[in-house]
């Protein structure tokens, strides 16, 4: 099978190359956010990954404005002299008199200022209050009030129309911040959100319908050979297995070759991030695997930072014991190898009874005795400050997942961000994700969801929900998401118990896949990465900026609104072969596993054909329906400046409020309360 990478989305048939023809010579873009070179949350990732695409479009006319922090400047900022005399005079004036000017240029440019979140919104409000000639854009990545309401376990999506927003904000002592956010949304020329679900939320809580949805993207790294990211998965999985060997020392009575690694990661918002649903589903999965006599074991990681005072002593001891066993094995191996070498040198076969002496056996017995322990492997890797009231630990005590030998589901709570310098699990987040088999993110409140998006670009299947921006986006653009390893959990129209049952079904079905089926599914998941590339999603930001220029400078720029058509939009077809792994197909990985030799790999292709990754990808490219993008602006001469043509909003980014309620009145609200 050839090793050429599938074509990128920009070269798919029917998809326009969309080279920008907008005249930006006398136009300047400022992007303002609290997370510019200041890592706090997901907005930092948005700005960092989008910078290259935006810089390619605007060149030296693109500026990022954020807070000055010593750590951020030392590690992420390259100090340079201002590239233009006008900017140098502006900065000198600001240093001498305070932040008063942006008008030092001989020929006043058309300025676009894009503000992210309420923290930067005060600058937008002042621009409009002082009538500055600036085209303004405001993007909310999650409404402030929405996050607080969901954290309070209210029936959020069933009551969007009924909230007394001023009262709710006041009771939560965020009224001043809420007013700033709402004012910024109303003052902006263009108001955007990151997903359709957040657009509906913003319309009810901020009282303005967003003009356009600007989904979050990533910089996608391509591989010249399709199996390269599969090799990275195997290498990263081996690092995780080393940690598991140490963590479960004395209780390593399960086969690591038949062990799956699931994980959930993000801010420690127990209900908003769906950790409550995940734990309940794991308890049910444990029961199903036990009663059905499954040989599969699941290790579920919870990577959620919480308050701790240090590593757990028992956890550190496990890694020390593992290292001691490794050193002992290497010592015995070297002695064995030296005796074997000397025996072969003299031309005789070794006497196996003399290869290991009494000292060697004593050393190995001591190492084995060191692995004995009476307690179960710890659930948490750290000492928690609020152990008795911690939501995850409290739930684990209730459902009884204590990592016993009888449990087919093991749980590891790592209440700290991953780092390659950690003495416990020395891997960074990207390497950890690549080594896992499934990311589980059953969020109740997730305006976008970078964690499942990161899984997708790394070829790792994931579970999201139809209440997350990522889940809604993938449902809109993929005909059969689950066939591509994107499982969408229904938390919008189902009760909490029904959603938990559906999640359990997803997890159990995944456990029943053979190794070969998982390999083919990862190939399909990675093929979706183009859909999340900023080269594709950056076009929505371009459309928002063109729209803002047309509203702020109507004498120079114009645009024509375009109503969305439900039949338009980019859409991946159903894969050519379903289910994901026919038993008769040839191997898509360099090595064949024992599972692949068995007949239980699954039914053959619907057409009885052998599976070929390149052939299937080629069929996908032929069947993909391309979207109708915003028409490019054309330039026309004008006495006061360049007259720009029309710009339509992207059809798939328009916002509409569903005619039916977001979920049945008796579902999520009653269960969550």
């Amino acid at each position: 099978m050839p090793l050429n990478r599938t074509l990128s989305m920009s070269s798919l048939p029917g998809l326009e190359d969309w080279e920008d023809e907008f005249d930006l010579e006398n136009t300047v873009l400022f992007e303002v956010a609290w997370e510019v070179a200041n890592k706090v949350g997901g907005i930092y990732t948005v700005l960092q990954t989008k910078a290259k695409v935006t810089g390619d479009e605007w060149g030296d006319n693109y500026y990022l404005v954020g807070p000055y922090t010593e750590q951020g400047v030392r590690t992420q900022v390259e100090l340079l002299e201002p590239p233009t005399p006008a900017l140098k005079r502006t900065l000198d004036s600001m240093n001498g008199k305070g932040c008063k000017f942006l008008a030092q240029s001989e020929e006043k440019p058309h300025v676009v200022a894009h503000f992210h979140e309420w923290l930067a919104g005060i600058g937008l409000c002042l621009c409009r209050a002082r009538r500055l000639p600036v085209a303004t854009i405001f993007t909310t990545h999650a409404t402030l009030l929405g996050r607080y309401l969901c954290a309070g376990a209210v029936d959020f999506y069933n009551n969007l129309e009924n909230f007394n927003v001023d009262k709710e904000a006041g009771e939560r002592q965020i009224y001043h911040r809420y007013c700033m956010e709402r004012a910024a949304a109303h003052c902006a020329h263009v108001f955007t959100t990151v997903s359709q679900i957040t657009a509906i939320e913003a319309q009810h809580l901020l009282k303005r319908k967003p003009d356009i949805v600007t989904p979050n993207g990533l910089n996608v790294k391509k591989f010249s050979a399709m199996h390269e990211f599969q090799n990275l998965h195997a290498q990263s999985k081996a690092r995780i297995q080393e940690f598991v060997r140490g963590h479960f020392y004395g209780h390593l009575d399960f086969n690591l070759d038949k062990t799956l690694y699931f994980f959930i990661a993000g801010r420690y918002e127990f209900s908003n991030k769906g950790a409550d649903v995940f734990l309940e589903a794991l308890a049910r999965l444990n029961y199903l695997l036990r009663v059905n006599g499954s040989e599969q074991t699941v290790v579920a990681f919870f990577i959620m930072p919480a308050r701790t005072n240090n590593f757990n002593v028992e956890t550190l001891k496990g890694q020390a014991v593992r290292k001691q066993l490794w050193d002992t094995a290497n010592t015995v191996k070297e002695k064995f190898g030296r005796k074997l070498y000397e025996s072969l040198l003299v031309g005789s076969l070794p006497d196996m009874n003399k290869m290991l002496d009494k000292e060697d056996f004593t050393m190995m017995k001591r190492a084995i005795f060191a692995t004995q322990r009476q307690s179960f492997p710890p659930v948490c890797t750290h000492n928690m400050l609020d152990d008795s009231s911690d939501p995850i630990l409290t739930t684990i005590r209730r459902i009884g997942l204590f990592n016993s030998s009888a449990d087919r589901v093991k749980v590891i709570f790592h209440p700290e961000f991953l780092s390659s310098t950690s003495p416990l699990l020395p891997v960074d987040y990207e390497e950890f994700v690549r080594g896992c088999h499934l990311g589980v993110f059953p969020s109740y409140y997730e305006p976008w969801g970078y964690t499942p998006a990161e899984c997708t670009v790394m070829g790792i299947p994931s579970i999201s929900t139809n209440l997350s921006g990522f889940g809604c986006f993938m449902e809109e653009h993929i005909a059969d998401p689950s066939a591509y390893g994107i499982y969408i959990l229904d938390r919008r129209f189902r009760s909490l118990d029904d959603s938990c049952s559906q999640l359990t079904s997803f997890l159990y079905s995944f456990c029943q896949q053979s190794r070969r089926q998982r390999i083919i599914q990862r190939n399909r998941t990675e093929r979706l990465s183009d859909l999340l590339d900023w080269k594709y999603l950056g076009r929505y930001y371009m459309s928002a900026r063109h729209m803002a220029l047309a509203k702020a400078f109507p004498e120079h720029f114009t645009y024509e609104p375009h109503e969305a058509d439900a039949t338009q939009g980019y859409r991946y077809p159903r894969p050519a072969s379903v289910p994901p792994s026919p038993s008769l197909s040839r191997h898509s990985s360099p090595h064949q596993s024992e599972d692949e030799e068995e007949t239980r790999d699954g039914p053959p292709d619907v057409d009885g054909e052998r599976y070929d990754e390149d052939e299937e990808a080629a069929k996908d490219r032929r069947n993909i329906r391309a979207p109708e993008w915003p028409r490019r602006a054309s330039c026309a001469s004008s006495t006061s400046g360049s007259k720009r043509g029309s710009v339509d909003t992207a059809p798939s980014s328009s916002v509409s409020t569903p005619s039916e309620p977001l979920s049945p009145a008796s579902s999520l609200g009653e269960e969550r309360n």
Side-chain angles (χ1 to χ4, degrees), residues 503-521:
L503 177 57
T504 306
S505 176
F506 286 159
L507 298 178
Y508 186 67
S509 297
F510 191 87
C511 291
Q512 290 180 308
Q513 290 183 2
S514 68
R515 176 179 178 268
R516 191 158 172 282
Q517 286 175 309
R518 296 194 299 270
I519 288 173
I520 293 176
Q521 190 176 62

Side-chain angles (χ1 to χ4, degrees), residues 136-156:
T136 57
I137 306 172
F138 180 68
T139 297
T140 180
H141 297 257
T143 68
L144 185 68
L145 183 56
R147 192 178 294 279
Y148 271 82
L149 287 170
C150 286
V154 302
D155 186 9
F156 182 65

Side-chain angles (χ1 to χ4, degrees), residues 78-143:
E78 181 181 355
L79 298 179
L80 300 172
E81 288 296 321
T84 63
L87 182 62
K88 187 178 188 307
R89 289 195 299 270
T90 301
L91 294 177
D92 290 342
S93 179
M94 292 172 67
N95 288 331
K97 303 178 182 177
C99 301
K100 296 182 180 180
F101 305 99
L102 274 172
Q104 298 289 331
S105 178
E106 291 80 2
E107 181 182 357
K108 293 185 179 180
H110 299 114
V111 177
V112 181
H114 191 155
F115 299 85
H116 294 265
E117 288 296 298
W118 66 272
L119 288 163
I122 187 65
L124 188 153
C125 297
L126 290 174
C127 284
R128 298 308 304 277
R130 297 175 180 178
R131 301 183 182 276
L132 299 181
V134 176
T136 57
I137 306 172
F138 180 68
T139 297
T140 180
H141 297 257
T143 68

Side-chain angles (χ1 to χ4, degrees), residues 118 143-156 159 162-179 181 205 272 672-673:
W118 66 272
T143 68
L144 185 68
L145 183 56
R147 192 178 294 279
Y148 271 82
L149 287 170
C150 286
V154 302
D155 186 9
F156 182 65
N159 291 286
N162 304 323
F163 287 122
N164 184 334
V165 292
D166 294 306
K167 176 177 177 294
E168 297 288 351
E171 289 179 350
R172 287 160 178 78
Q173 300 182 2
I174 58 168
Y175 187 70
H176 57 300
R177 286 183 278 171
Y178 166 75
C179 288
E181 181 181 42
L205 299 186
N272 282 358
R672 285 175 63 80
N673 290 333

Side-chain angles (χ1 to χ4, degrees), residues 334-407:
E334 289 177 3
K335 293 179 65 175
F336 184 96
R338 186 167 56 253
K339 291 180 179 180
L340 176 62
Y341 171 69
E342 291 174 352
S343 177
L344 294 176
L345 277 177
V346 298
S348 64
L349 292 176
D351 184 354
M352 300 306 296
N353 294 325
K354 297 181 179 179
M355 295 299 291
L356 296 177
D357 54 28
K358 184 177 180 180
E359 181 183 351
D360 296 330
F361 282 102
T362 301
M363 186 187 308
M364 290 188 290
K365 286 180 180 179
R366 288 175 177 173
I368 293 174
F369 289 147
T371 65
Q372 306 302 312
R373 65 176 175 186
Q374 303 301 319
S375 61
F376 293 144
V379 169
C380 187
T381 59
H382 292 60
N383 295 320
M384 300 290 291
L385 293 180
D386 302 316
D387 184 283
S388 60
S389 59
D390 181 79
I392 289 180
L393 297 181
T394 300
T395 304
I396 288 175
R397 296 184 186 106
R398 177 178 61 80
I399 61 180
L401 286 180
F402 298 123
N403 294 339
S404 69
S405 298
D407 290 329

Side-chain angles (χ1 to χ4, degrees), residues 478-527:
I478 305 174
D480 186 4
S482 61
Y484 285 93
I486 307 295
Y487 300 91
I488 309 297
L489 181 67
D490 187 359
R491 296 202 64 180
R492 184 171 177 178
F493 299 106
R494 294 189 183 211
S495 67
L496 188 62
D497 185 68
D498 289 344
S499 296
C500 188
S501 297
Q502 185 186 22
L503 177 57
T504 306
S505 176
F506 286 159
L507 298 178
Y508 186 67
S509 297
F510 191 87
C511 291
Q512 290 180 308
Q513 290 183 2
S514 68
R515 176 179 178 268
R516 191 158 172 282
Q517 286 175 309
R518 296 194 299 270
I519 288 173
I520 293 176
Q521 190 176 62
R522 284 198 295 271
N523 283 336
R524 291 177 176 168
T525 303
E526 196 270 344
R527 212 154 66 224

Side-chain angles (χ1 to χ4, degrees), residues 231 234 515-516 519 587-594 596-597:
N231 292 341
R515 176 179 178 268
R516 191 158 172 282
I519 288 173
H587 304 299
S588 58
S589 63
H591 303 288
Q592 180 177 354
S593 68
E594 295 178 358
E596 297 178 36
E597 299 175 351

Side-chain angles (χ1 to χ4, degrees), residues 305-460:
R307 296 201 305 156
T308 66
N309 58 20
N310 214 325
F311 293 109
N312 186 299
V313 173
E314 189 65 20
T315 305
L316 289 173
K317 180 183 176 182
Q319 301 307 312
V321 169
R322 177 194 62 78
K323 187 177 185 303
Q324 181 186 13
L325 285 172
W326 178 258
D327 293 340
T328 300
N330 277 332
T331 301
V332 174
K333 182 182 69 174
E334 289 177 3
K335 293 179 65 175
F336 184 96
R338 186 167 56 253
K339 291 180 179 180
L340 176 62
Y341 171 69
E342 291 174 352
S343 177
L344 294 176
L345 277 177
V346 298
S348 64
L349 292 176
D351 184 354
M352 300 306 296
N353 294 325
K354 297 181 179 179
M355 295 299 291
L356 296 177
D357 54 28
K358 184 177 180 180
E359 181 183 351
D360 296 330
F361 282 102
T362 301
M363 186 187 308
M364 290 188 290
K365 286 180 180 179
R366 288 175 177 173
I368 293 174
F369 289 147
T371 65
Q372 306 302 312
R373 65 176 175 186
Q374 303 301 319
S375 61
F376 293 144
V379 169
C380 187
T381 59
H382 292 60
N383 295 320
M384 300 290 291
L385 293 180
D386 302 316
D387 184 283
S388 60
S389 59
D390 181 79
I392 289 180
L393 297 181
T394 300
T395 304
I396 288 175
R397 296 184 186 106
R398 177 178 61 80
I399 61 180
L401 286 180
F402 298 123
N403 294 339
S404 69
S405 298
D407 290 329
R408 297 268 51 84
V409 173
K410 319 289 186 180
V411 177
I412 298 177
F413 179 25
H414 189 280
E416 188 177 73
F417 284 126
L418 296 171
S419 171
S420 58
T421 60
S422 170
L424 196 62
L425 182 55
V427 295
D428 57 27
Y429 179 72
E430 179 179 344
E431 186 179 6
F432 174 79
V433 172
R434 285 194 183 277
C436 289
H437 295 92
L438 182 70
V440 185
F441 314 104
S443 304
Y444 181 75
Y445 184 79
E446 190 68 78
W448 175 246
Y450 255 123
T451 43
E454 289 166 336
C455 286
T456 302
V457 301
M458 287 186 254
I460 303 300

